[in-house]
Structures are given as structure tokens and as C-alpha cells.
């Protein structure tokens, strides 16, 4: 890098850093870019900051249209005063009226890089091709977190400014742990307790499997609107001794390292960090072969198993196979860390630097 150049100034805009995969991605991108550029994190909602070491500007929110408009004005003023070279937008973008305000007023005159983190494109782009091109067609770039998302968005909207940059992961050597939080063997699922994650269906499928009789537990980590309903379901199925719902945990490293395998059973994903985190810990993954995401990380029967999308019977069969077939399990486990070398932080960082420098 040319050290004579003045470092770029970059703003990362997000609504908040509530617990979840997206927050982890935002923090990781911030740390990567901070080592090269001047980076500010602008959080639009007034929520608790999970990573207090990150310098940021919090724009307060109140429950009135006038104060909300003032908040928009304040954010626009912040962008104007700081004269950022790029603005990296990590928001969900659902409301077309709101997006008109963001794209044509708040961001007007700035180089914007938008991001898409889900195969459910309407979370980030309007269903209308006209509106999508009107709002985002002239932006600097639209970064997709998987090739599948990029291809889908390109085919649907004919956008010319799409690019894929994968989520990254720091790969550390697996350490020996003395972990007694969960007794006996267990399979692991991690995520927010929302309908899209389908933890209720996973619990039912688990109850019909051979795993409880083999004293292999199911551990699910996370919080969300479906948490209490899943607790009730566990009681109704008399699985209190077999299924453990831990709630949200800040540190899940040892949980991964001590699991037999990790399960992903979502309706849809973009590029699930759960898979990367599990493989980094040396633990194979069994996942639905979703429209985007898992197939770009998991090599079937190499570092885990891919299962027919949304077939929970096949999902349980795959879990039972991987648990009982020691030769297959050991082979998959031996490939976990080497299979995700291309997602290492230093490699993904280079992709971001190329995007800005070019």
C-alpha cells in the first residue's frame, strides 16, 4: 500500500449491534478496516453497545416523527462534517419510502457501498426492479456475502455493481479444554430464536431421532421471540433432560469445541457465521443445502454433510449417520480447518482493500 496517500475515511452505518451474526460481521469488518483506514461506526438506534472499544457516534432515537426527522438531520450533518470517502451500509432496507429518504437525502453526494446478508433479497432490496435500480443502481458497489446471493440479485435486477466479499473468520489453534457446562455428548445449534431459524422443528425432529436413547443431547444457544415457545415445547415432549436451551452466551468457543457436531436448519441464510465458527473449532457441520450460503462453505462428506433443503427427516438421518459412522466423522473432522482457509481474516481483508483502492 502506498504510505504517501492520505488514509481513507470510512463510515460504517448500522442500526445497532444486537446479539447475532450480523453484529459479529460488522465488528469484524470494522476491525479489519481500522488497521488501514480511519473508520467510524455510526449506530442509528439508541441501543446498548456490545463492543465498547469501538469508537462510534450514537444518534439518539425517540418515539416521535419530529425527533426521528431530527435524527436524520443529525446523521446527515455528521456525514457532511466528517467528509467520509466511503459509507458502508449494513442496514436492513425494507421500507421503500424510508429508502428514498436515505438514498436521495441522507446519502446524497457520498460514495455508498451497500451490503446484502441474506438470500431473502427483499430484506435489502425492493421487489421492484425499477425501485432497486433507482435507489442503488448508481451506488459505488453492492457487496454480497455469497456468490449465490450475487447471482440471484444479478439475475433478478440486472445490477452492474454487484460483488461478493465473504464473511471472514479468525482461525486459531484448537486448545484442550475442560468444559463441564454440558454433561455427556451433544449436538449444537446457535442462533436467534426466530421463525427463520426453525429451532422448534429441530426440537421435534430430535425427539423422533435415536439421539435421546443414545444419551446425545441437543443444545441450542440464543435468545429471541420464540425462546419461551421452544421451552414449552421441550417440556411438552418430555425432553427436559435431553434438550438444553442456554439463552444468549457471549462466548461460545468452548461449546463448539466440545460438541459432536453443529446443526444449521434455517429457512434461509446469506453466509452463516455459525458454520465458519464450528469448522474453525474443528467441528463438522450438518446443514440444509439452502439457496445460498452453506454449499459455498461445506463440502459434502468432506467437512460436513449437506442435506436436502427443508427435509427434517433427512437432516436427522444425516446427523445419525455422522455420529455413528466414525470413519466418515473422523474424515470430516480432519478437514474442518483446512477447508476454510480462504475465509481467513487476512484473505477477506485483501478483498475489502481491493474494493476501496480500485
Amino acid at each position: 500500500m502506498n504510505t504517501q496517500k492520505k488514509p481513507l475515511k470510512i463510515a460504517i452505518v448500522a442500526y445497532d449491534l444486537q446479539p447475532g451474526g450480523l453484529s459479529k460481521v460488522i465488528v469484524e469488518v470494522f476491525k479489519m478496516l481500522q488497521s488501514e483506514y480511519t473508520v467510524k461506526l455510526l449506530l442509528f438506534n439508541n441501543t446498548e453497545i456490545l463492543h465498547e472499544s469501538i469508537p462510534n457516534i450514537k444518534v439518539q432515537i425517540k418515539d416521535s416523527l419530529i425527533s426521528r426527522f431530527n435524527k436524520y438531520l443529525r446523521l446527515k450533518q455528521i456525514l457532511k462534517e466528517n467528509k467520509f470517502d466511503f459509507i458502508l451500509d449494513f442496514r436492513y432496507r425494507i421500507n421503500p419510502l424510508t429508502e428514498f429518504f436515505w438514498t436521495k437525502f441522507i446519502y446524497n453526494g457520498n460514495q455508498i457501498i451497500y451490503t446484502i446478508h441474506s438470500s431473502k433479497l427483499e430484506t435489502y432490496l425492493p421487489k421492484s426492479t425499477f425501485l432497486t435500480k433507482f435507489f442503488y443502481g448508481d451506488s459505488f458497489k453492492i457487496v454480497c456475502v455469497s456468490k449465490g446471493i450475487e447471482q440471484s440479485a444479478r439475475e433478478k435486477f440486472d445490477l452492474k455493481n454487484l460483488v461478493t466479499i465473504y464473511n471472514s473468520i479468525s482461525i486459531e489453534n484448537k486448545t484442550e479444554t475442560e468444559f463441564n457446562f454440558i454433561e455427556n455428548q451433544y449436538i449444537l445449534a446457535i442462533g436467534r430464536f426466530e421463525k427463520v431459524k426453525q429451532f422448534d422443528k429441530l426440537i421435534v425432529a430430535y425427539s423422533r431421532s435415536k439421539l435421546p436413547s443414545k444419551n446425545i443431547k441437543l443444545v441450542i444457544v440464543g435468545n429471541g421471540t420464540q425462546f419461551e415457545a421452544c421451552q414449552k415445547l421441550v417440556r411438552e415432549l418430555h425432553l427436559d433432560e435431553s434438550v438444553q436451551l442456554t439463552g444468549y452466551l457471549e462466548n461460545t468457543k468452548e461449546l463448539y469445541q466440545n460438541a459432536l457436531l453443529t446443526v444449521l436448519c434455517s429457512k434461509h441464510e446469506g453466509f452463516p457465521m455459525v458454520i465458519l465458527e464450528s469448522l474453525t473449532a474443528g467441528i463438522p457441520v450438518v446443514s440444509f443445502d439452502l439457496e445460498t450460503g452453506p454449499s459455498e462453505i461445506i463440502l459434502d462428506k468432506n467437512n460436513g454433510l449437506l442435506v436436502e433443503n427443508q427435509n427434517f427427516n433427512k437432516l436427522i438421518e444425516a446427523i445419525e449417520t455422522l455420529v455413528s459412522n466414525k470413519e466418515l466423522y473422523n474424515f470430516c473432522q480432519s478437514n474442518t480447518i483446512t477447508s476454510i482457509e480462504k475465509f481467513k481474516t487476512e484473505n477477506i481483508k485483501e478483498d475489502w482493500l481491493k474494493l476501496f483502492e480500485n
Side-chain angles (χ1 to χ4, degrees):
M1 181 174 292
N2 187 347
T3 57
Q4 300 302 313
K5 290 183 179 180
K6 183 179 179 181
L8 295 175
K9 292 181 66 176
I10 298 172
I12 295 178
V13 175
Y15 281 124
D16 52 48
L17 288 180
Q18 291 184 356
L22 181 57
S23 293
K24 291 181 180 179
V25 172
I26 293 171
V27 171
E28 189 66 23
V29 171
F30 177 90
K31 290 178 178 178
M32 280 192 291
L33 300 183
Q34 190 184 38
S35 63
E36 301 288 337
Y37 309 125
T38 300
V39 187
K40 291 289 186 180
L41 177 61
L42 311 183
L43 298 178
F44 196 63
N45 288 348
N46 182 23
T47 56
E48 181 180 356
I49 306 303
L50 300 181
H51 303 268
E52 294 181 355
S53 62
I54 296 179
N56 65 82
I57 302 169
K58 284 173 63 176
V59 183
Q60 303 297 318
I61 182 172
K62 297 179 181 177
D63 293 326
S64 76
L65 290 176
I66 294 177
S67 59
R68 180 174 288 272
F69 183 72
N70 288 335
K71 181 178 61 172
Y72 285 128
L73 292 177
R74 172 63 180 142
L75 179 58
K76 183 172 177 61
Q77 185 64 27
I78 290 170
L79 297 179
K80 182 179 179 180
E81 290 172 354
N82 283 270
K83 297 179 180 179
F84 294 106
D85 295 290
F86 293 98
I87 297 172
L88 185 51
D89 185 299
F90 278 92
R91 297 173 305 114
Y92 296 114
R93 300 179 293 274
I94 300 173
N95 188 321
L97 184 60
T98 302
E99 283 312 294
F100 177 84
F101 202 70
W102 277 90
T103 59
K104 306 306 178 184
F105 175 69
I106 297 177
Y107 287 160
N108 185 39
N110 291 281
Q111 291 200 100
I112 313 300
I113 299 171
Y114 293 98
T115 57
I116 305 177
H117 298 266
S118 173
S119 62
K120 192 176 181 181
L121 295 180
E122 57 267 31
T123 308
Y124 293 93
L125 302 173
K127 293 182 180 180
S128 163
T129 298
F130 170 78
L131 287 179
T132 293
K133 289 188 173 183
F134 178 64
F135 292 151
Y136 313 114
D138 60 352
S139 61
F140 182 75
K141 288 292 180 182
I142 301 175
V143 173
C144 307
V145 294
S146 74
K147 294 289 186 183
I149 292 177
E150 180 184 346
Q151 180 179 348
S152 178
R154 192 180 302 279
E155 291 174 354
K156 186 172 183 179
F157 300 111
D158 191 32
L159 292 165
K160 308 301 182 184
N161 53 349
L162 295 164
V163 64
T164 295
I165 298 182
Y166 290 117
N167 296 335
S168 66
I169 193 77
S170 297
I171 300 177
E172 303 173 1
N173 293 328
K174 185 174 180 179
T175 57
E176 294 298 325
T177 59
E178 296 181 5
F179 190 63
N180 299 314
F181 182 63
I182 308 294
E183 295 181 358
N184 305 318
Q185 295 179 313
Y186 61 92
I187 62 173
L188 179 65
I190 296 182
R192 287 192 58 77
F193 274 76
E194 305 297 342
K195 289 183 179 180
V196 66
K197 299 300 183 182
Q198 304 191 116
F199 289 149
D200 55 342
K201 293 183 179 180
L202 176 61
I203 292 169
V204 172
Y206 168 84
S207 72
R208 296 172 179 169
S209 75
K210 300 174 184 177
L211 299 178
S213 64
K214 292 184 176 182
N215 204 26
I216 297 175
K217 292 186 175 184
L218 168 62
V219 177
I220 308 179
V221 180
N223 280 329
T225 60
Q226 303 294 307
F227 186 79
E228 291 184 0
C230 286
Q231 282 184 316
K232 181 180 178 182
L233 180 61
V234 169
R235 292 192 296 268
E236 290 174 349
L237 295 175
H238 307 290
L239 293 172
D240 304 73
E241 299 298 320
S242 300
V243 177
Q244 187 158 351
L245 311 182
T246 70
Y248 172 74
L249 297 176
E250 179 92 27
N251 189 346
T252 54
K253 180 179 178 181
E254 290 184 341
L255 265 176
Y256 279 118
Q257 289 188 352
N258 288 277
L260 284 170
L261 55 87
T262 301
V263 184
L264 189 137
C265 59
S266 304
K267 284 184 180 179
H268 55 80
E269 292 279 354
F271 192 80
M273 290 300 295
V274 167
I275 296 179
L276 286 184
E277 289 169 354
S278 182
L279 296 176
T280 300
I283 303 303
V285 180
V286 176
S287 171
F288 283 144
D289 189 5
L290 302 176
E291 182 182 353
T292 68
S295 64
E296 296 183 45
I297 314 172
I298 298 173
L299 304 175
D300 189 44
K301 297 182 177 64
N302 181 279
N303 60 355
L305 300 180
L306 287 172
V307 180
E308 179 186 343
N309 195 12
Q310 303 308 306
N311 190 329
F312 277 88
N313 290 329
K314 293 292 185 182
L315 186 76
I316 288 299
E317 284 181 20
I319 293 171
E320 291 175 342
T321 296
L322 197 56
V323 167
S324 60
N325 187 332
K326 297 302 180 185
E327 182 178 356
L328 176 61
Y329 183 91
N330 290 336
F331 180 72
C332 287
Q333 188 174 44
S334 69
N335 295 319
T336 52
I337 296 176
T338 56
S339 70
I340 55 172
E341 285 286 321
K342 67 179 181 180
F343 305 117
K344 289 171 62 174
T345 298
E346 49 265 42
N347 294 331
I348 302 303
K349 177 180 176 180
E350 286 302 312
D351 292 336
W352 280 107
L353 298 187
K354 289 177 184 177
L355 180 70
F356 291 117
E357 297 297 337
N358 292 338

